[in-house]
Each structure stands twice: as C-alpha cells, then as structure tokens.
Amino acid sequence: MTHFLDIHKTDPDALREIIDTAKRVKAARAGRPKGTPDDDLPLAGHMVALIFEKPSTRTRVSFDVGVRQMGGQTMVLSGTDMQLGHGETIADTARVLSRYVDLIMMRTFEEDTILEMAEFATVPVINGLTNRTHPCQIMADVLTFEEHRGPIKGKKVVWTGDGNNVFASFAHAATQFEFDLVFSGPEPLDPEPSLNGRFTTERNPHKAVEGADLVVTDTWVSMHDPQSARERRHNQLRGYQVNAELMAHAKPGALFMHCLPAHRDDEATSEVMDGPHSVIFDEAENRLHAQKAIMRWCLGK
Ligand code: CP
Ligand code: NVA
C-alpha cells in the first residue's frame, strides 16, 4: 500500500517524482477555469474520504478541488460526526472506510491515529497534518521555492519561531531534498529531540537569516497547543517575528513563506506578508497541485 504519511518515510526519488508531476499537472491547467476537469481524469470512478478532526481551510478545499479536477468524487467528514469520535477504534474505521473509498486523507491530533489508520486501511492514507508533522504543506513549499528560484538542493532555509509540526516536515525535507535548514527559536520551543530530520540551531534570528534563500515562519500557537500557553508563547517568540528589518539580513532575493493561517503582525508583519519577498499565496495555491501529484502517486496514476 502506497501511503503518504511523512516526507522522511517517502523515498527521495518518489518525492522528486511527485514534485515533477505537480509542475506538469499545474502547467497543463494554465489559464483553465478551476472547475473544469483535467484532460486525463486519473481519478475517474474513484471516491476519496477527507477526514478532519481539526479545522482547515486550505487542506479541505485544495484536496476537494484536486480530486474533482482529476475526475474523482469526495466526501468531507468531520471526526466528531463519525463513530470514530465516539469510541469506535481507528482500526475498525480504517477497515470499514476501505470498503467504500479508494483513498483516505486525514487531519488529526496524535500521530498514532494516522499510523493506525494506515496500518489497517487497505487503501492509501495521506497525512493532512498531525500534531507532529504536515508533509503535504512542505511538498507545496518545495514546489513553490523551485518555481521561483530553481532547485532547492544546497539552498539555505531558515525557520524562525516555534519548532512545531510544520518545522518537523521541513526538517524531514532538508534531508530528502538536500537543503540546509536552520532553526531559530527559543530553547523551550525547540523541535522534538527525536525528530528524524537535518537542521542546525542558531538562537539569534538576525545571525540565522544571514545568507538565507528562504525565510519561513508559522503561527506561534498551533491548533493542538493549549490556549493557556498563548501569552507565554507570545513572550517567548516576540523576538522571532519576521519583519522588514529581519528580512533585510537575508539575501536580497530571499523568499518569505508561511503555510497560513497567519496571525498578522504577530509571527510576521503585514509588510512582509504582502511585500516583495512573500510567496504565501503561491504556497497556498500549490497545495492543490502538490496534493494532486501525491494522490496520483498513491494510486499509481
Ligand atoms: N496550511 C494549512 O494546512 O491550512 P489549513 O489549516 O487551512 O488547512
Ligand atoms: N502549526 C499549525 C499549522 C496549521 C496549518 C497548526 O498545527 O495549527
């Protein structure tokens, strides 16, 4: 079974194939209305379940649109409305869903949930974000970087802020796509030590971004973080805000990315988000193209 669970669990050649497919399918649709189908309809006759145990705008809409463009059908399911949210095991849910659908995309809390879903499903499972990782996002980010600046291999990517799930997938990608990744954040919010990725740490954000080809940040409080930690996190992370002054220390042509949703003027200023370095809406668009390529790869299409 070809699951897409994490970037470090996916072969580098497969990751490169997915990025190349994404570029190709995106180019093939240039200028076409978003509601029109792709020429080859690779998911014709296929049913895809999109399960959300957390809120989502981009993941929900881009997967739904992507499946439809490829000729398939979707059902968007809320975890709380399913028996899953009322005591049915993940394993039984996986076995049952596999009798109805051809592909499962799931956004959930614990990583173990998606691992159990993948273990017991007899159809491919795609990770649409857990507390630990967000692999689809980083595939879109690699695609976005390469569209603007060419191959990401050997480039310097700097992450400022919380060492969270999106950072973890960046660290996995650094190994697989062979770029240099620097983490710059306060020690209490360091990435998990068990993280199976490649990066160095520089506490001083100004030093960290020197020579950066790409500066990335994310929300200071993730969906799984307790709201009670909000004030403490803001105090810890204030010095890591991406603003015009920080971006001036990066390479002149450096890109700025944020997976969104953003809290404007907390982790990044509107000046940067809407400024010349920013490619945040290209990233959002590329979720669609990257995930279409991931789904094709999972289904061998
Ligand atoms: N970046 C991202 O995954 O956004 P959503 O939470 O809106 O899906
Ligand atoms: N780190 C964020 C990413 C949202 C797409 C979260 O988990 O809430």
Side-chain angles (χ1 to χ4, degrees):
M1 196 53 52
T2 311
H3 302 303
F4 186 76
L5 296 177
D6 267 316
I7 289 181
H8 65 298
K9 294 177 182 167
T10 310
D11 184 75
D13 289 341
L15 295 169
R16 178 47 64 191
E17 180 191 322
I18 290 168
I19 296 290
D20 290 346
T21 302
K23 289 176 183 168
R24 185 171 52 77
V25 297
K26 181 177 180 180
R29 287 195 62 85
R32 192 180 283 207
K34 295 172 185 71
T36 59
D38 290 346
D39 289 332
D40 55 349
L41 298 178
L43 264 62
H46 288 70
M47 182 62 78
V48 179
L50 307 173
I51 307 172
F52 290 90
E53 296 198 294
K54 286 175 175 169
S56 167
T57 297
R58 278 142 289 268
T59 307
R60 182 187 307 250
V61 178
S62 57
F63 265 104
D64 201 341
V65 170
V67 172
R68 292 173 196 227
Q69 287 183 351
M70 294 193 290
Q73 297 188 66
T74 59
M75 56 184 69
V76 181
L77 303 161
S78 148
T80 48
D81 292 341
M82 298 170 72
Q83 299 293 7
L84 174 67
H86 303 274
E88 186 168 23
T89 66
I90 308 295
D92 286 350
T93 306
R95 292 179 181 115
V96 170
L97 288 179
S98 299
R99 302 289 179 108
Y100 301 133
V101 304
D102 303 289
L103 181 68
I104 298 168
M105 192 288 310
M106 186 177 202
R107 166 168 287 192
T108 187
F109 289 87
E110 300 304 327
E111 182 176 56
D112 283 350
T113 303
I114 199 115
L115 295 180
E116 190 173 339
M117 185 67 86
E119 183 181 348
F120 291 95
T122 53
V123 298
V125 173
I126 297 176
N127 175 0
L129 180 145
T130 69
N131 296 358
R132 287 195 80 187
T133 59
H134 195 4
C136 291
Q137 179 67 52
I138 279 49
M139 293 301 281
D141 292 354
V142 169
L143 172 62
T144 306
F145 183 91
E146 297 203 337
E147 282 180 342
H148 285 271
R149 293 287 180 269
I152 198 166
K153 183 175 177 176
K155 294 291 194 299
K156 178 174 177 181
V157 178
V158 179
W159 176 279
T160 74
D162 183 21
N164 64 14
N165 47 1
V166 180
F167 174 79
S169 287
F170 254 109
H172 297 151
T175 310
Q176 304 292 63
F177 288 98
E178 301 179 63
F179 57 83
D180 295 326
L181 178 65
V182 180
F183 169 77
S184 190
E187 198 174 341
L189 300 178
D190 269 352
E192 281 180 36
S194 61
L195 178 65
N196 200 355
R198 187 179 75 173
F199 65 94
T200 57
T201 299
E202 168 54 64
R203 301 278 172 220
N204 181 328
H206 291 91
K207 274 194 197 157
V209 301
E210 273 170 24
D213 297 286
L214 168 62
V215 178
V216 195
T217 193
D218 186 15
T219 182
W220 288 343
V221 186
S222 284
M223 290 182 272
H224 60 275
D225 291 321
Q227 279 303 313
S228 56
R230 195 172 178 279
E231 192 178 334
R232 174 166 40 82
R233 283 172 161 265
H234 275 237
N235 289 332
Q236 288 167 319
L237 288 161
R238 214 176 303 283
Y240 293 91
Q241 183 192 62
V242 183
N243 49 40
E245 193 267 327
L246 185 68
M247 284 305 294
H249 287 74
K251 272 192 185 163
L255 299 178
F256 169 71
M257 288 192 191
H258 187 311
C259 65
L260 305 177
H263 298 80
R264 283 175 174 259
D265 300 313
D266 284 344
E267 67 267 16
T269 60
S270 283
E271 188 183 5
V272 169
M273 291 179 64
D274 300 327
H277 299 283
S278 177
V279 290
I280 57 176
F281 298 112
D282 292 342
E283 279 182 273
E285 178 187 334
N286 280 337
R287 293 291 304 278
L288 169 66
H289 309 297
Q291 290 158 189
K292 284 171 74 178
I294 291 167
M295 288 187 274
R296 292 177 83 120
W297 177 76
C298 286
L299 291 166
K301 300 286 179 184

